Amino acid sequence: MTDTILIIGASGQIGSELTAKLREIHGADKVIASDIREGNSELVNAGPFEILDATDLKAIETIIDKYKVGTVYLMAAMLSATAEKAPMKAWELNMNSLFNILNLAKDKRIQKVFWPSSIAVFGPTTPADHTPQTTVMEPTTVYGISKQTGERWCEYYFSRYGVDVRSIRYPGLISYKTPPGGGTTDYAIEIYHEALEKGSYTSFLKAGSYLPMMFMDDAIQATIQLMEAPAENIKIRSSYNLGGISFDPEEIAASIKKYIPEFHIDYAPDFRQDIADTWPNSIEDKKAQEDWNWKHSFDLDKITQTMLENLKKK
Ligand code: SER
């Protein structure tokens, strides 16, 4: 197995931080960043970067051969809110990119795959509090349907073809380095930007909309821990639940007020409210704890403090 890593979707919210962290661990030359667009100059200049369309199998093959890639992190996807505006396009991107990578692994052209799933795999009939690993899953968004289908295919490729594919159901991810692209949980990032810029925020989710959330550093840590765990410890080949914290717009506003006392929130729910209403309030992640020692470390106030401090510097 070669130790070269390819990240597809490296310019995105998760991809950019994952690339930086993996380069820190393995060395810049061992981590090939790729995306359909160029990311920030830091990412592009810090190591190899290739323009790559995740649905273009030939182009992926060329890069895999060129760099002798062993592991692929497939981070390219259309997120929940954007996907609702272009369902077929979202389905094609989210599924075809996954099949490209799973088939390369099946043919032993690459050895290991990471593919992100999401809390969007759950739906209105799922128990909403401390949602367990195994439960009712009837997603109602095209994004959720693509992630749930993807999970089934990951498990199939593992049991049928022995593909070493690993996955996490990410909660809403909060970060300050790269903006998110078109998710329902994005309000929890916008709120920090606008708290600093305007002192107020109009939330597209209403008070009481609890969602599972996590700080990006925790999510990156989890991803690397999962990928470094011995294969025999990975008991779940669909995707692992990953907890973290849970809050609603009111609680995040209260946390911001500890640092910006005059901060004010109001509410103008839009179509994303309907999406949020179908997702869990909080997630139970016992399996990740048992199988690869997962534990999150950022609570809401620590997230608020880190977000405000770093966005202020920007
Ligand atoms: N954060 C994502 C979204 O809101 C969920 O995976 O679409």
Side-chain angles (χ1 to χ4, degrees):
M1 161 158 180
T2 89
D3 53 0
T4 305
I5 295 168
L6 171 65
I7 299 170
I8 301 177
S11 302
Q13 189 200 4
I14 307 174
S16 58
E17 297 204 29
L18 185 62
T19 303
K21 190 71 189 176
L22 288 171
R23 282 179 170 163
E24 208 179 290
I25 297 171
H26 301 279
D29 292 347
K30 293 281 178 209
V31 181
I32 320 306
S34 73
D35 203 290
I36 197 149
R37 64 191 162 94
E38 260 191 24
N40 59 46
S41 52
E42 209 181 311
L43 177 91
V44 176
N45 297 332
F49 182 88
E50 297 274 354
I51 293 288
L52 179 64
D53 173 354
T55 61
D56 184 346
L57 178 59
K58 281 264 164 314
I60 299 173
E61 286 177 324
T62 304
I63 288 177
I64 279 175
D65 292 343
K66 177 174 168 190
Y67 294 99
K68 301 194 178 14
V69 170
T71 299
V72 173
Y73 289 75
L74 174 57
M75 311 310 286
M78 205 186 287
L79 292 191
S80 60
T82 315
E84 287 310 299
K85 294 180 180 157
M88 281 323 293
K89 215 172 141 196
W91 175 256
E92 279 161 22
L93 168 62
N94 293 359
M95 298 315 299
N96 293 350
S97 59
L98 177 59
F99 280 121
N100 283 344
I101 300 307
L102 287 178
N103 284 325
L104 287 168
K106 171 182 160 229
D107 296 343
K108 312 265 183 274
R109 307 266 308 263
I110 53 174
Q111 283 77 47
K112 208 169 175 184
V113 176
F114 178 82
W115 175 77
S117 186
S118 160
I119 52 167
V121 293
F122 300 115
T125 52
T126 302
D129 295 307
H130 310 291
T131 302
Q133 174 70 36
T134 307
T135 183
V136 179
M137 292 162 91
E138 294 182 317
T140 51
T141 62
V142 67
Y143 175 68
I145 296 170
S146 74
K147 289 297 182 187
Q148 197 205 15
T149 312
E151 286 192 8
R152 297 289 88 225
W153 280 110
C154 287
E155 195 180 278
Y156 185 88
Y157 271 70
F158 169 74
S159 34
R160 176 99 200 255
Y161 307 118
V163 167
D164 188 357
V165 55
R166 306 175 183 203
S167 175
I168 284 172
R169 291 172 180 156
Y170 289 125
L173 297 181
I174 302 173
S175 65
Y176 58 86
K177 288 183 185 154
T178 307
T184 301
T185 54
D186 295 5
Y187 92 88
I189 297 169
E190 286 175 13
I191 195 169
Y192 290 113
H193 286 265
E194 298 207 5
L196 288 169
E197 284 159 23
K198 300 190 202 153
S200 67
Y201 178 63
T202 302
S203 172
F204 60 75
L205 296 187
K206 61 186 186 209
S209 302
Y210 281 85
L211 287 170
M213 296 280 187
M214 181 174 283
F215 194 57
M216 184 62 83
D217 292 27
D218 275 339
I220 300 292
Q221 175 62 32
T223 308
I224 288 168
Q225 239 171 282
L226 169 67
M227 288 299 275
E228 284 179 350
E232 60 273 19
N233 290 18
I234 310 302
K235 305 274 167 30
I236 291 170
R237 294 295 184 156
S238 52
S239 189
Y240 278 94
N241 268 17
L242 199 63
I245 56 173
S246 161
F247 57 76
D248 80 325
E250 252 182 332
E251 284 182 13
I252 192 170
S255 173
I256 291 173
K257 275 189 193 158
K258 292 181 192 165
Y259 303 90
I260 308 174
E262 62 285 3
F263 176 71
H264 172 77
I265 186 167
D266 54 22
Y267 304 94
D270 65 14
F271 73 102
R272 289 168 283 191
Q273 182 68 51
D274 299 332
I275 299 176
D277 286 344
T278 72
W279 289 354
N281 301 331
S282 59
I283 297 282
E284 180 264 290
D285 62 9
K286 243 181 6 220
K287 293 283 178 207
Q289 294 176 36
E290 282 168 13
D291 292 359
W292 39 277
N293 296 320
W294 167 245
K295 196 177 177 311
H296 77 272
S297 66
F298 279 76
D299 63 18
L300 178 54
D301 283 339
K302 193 167 159 198
I303 293 176
T304 298
Q305 199 189 343
T306 312
M307 287 296 284
L308 293 176
E309 262 175 35
N310 285 284
L311 289 176
K312 230 184 268 174
K313 281 185 218 152
K314 282 187 148 187

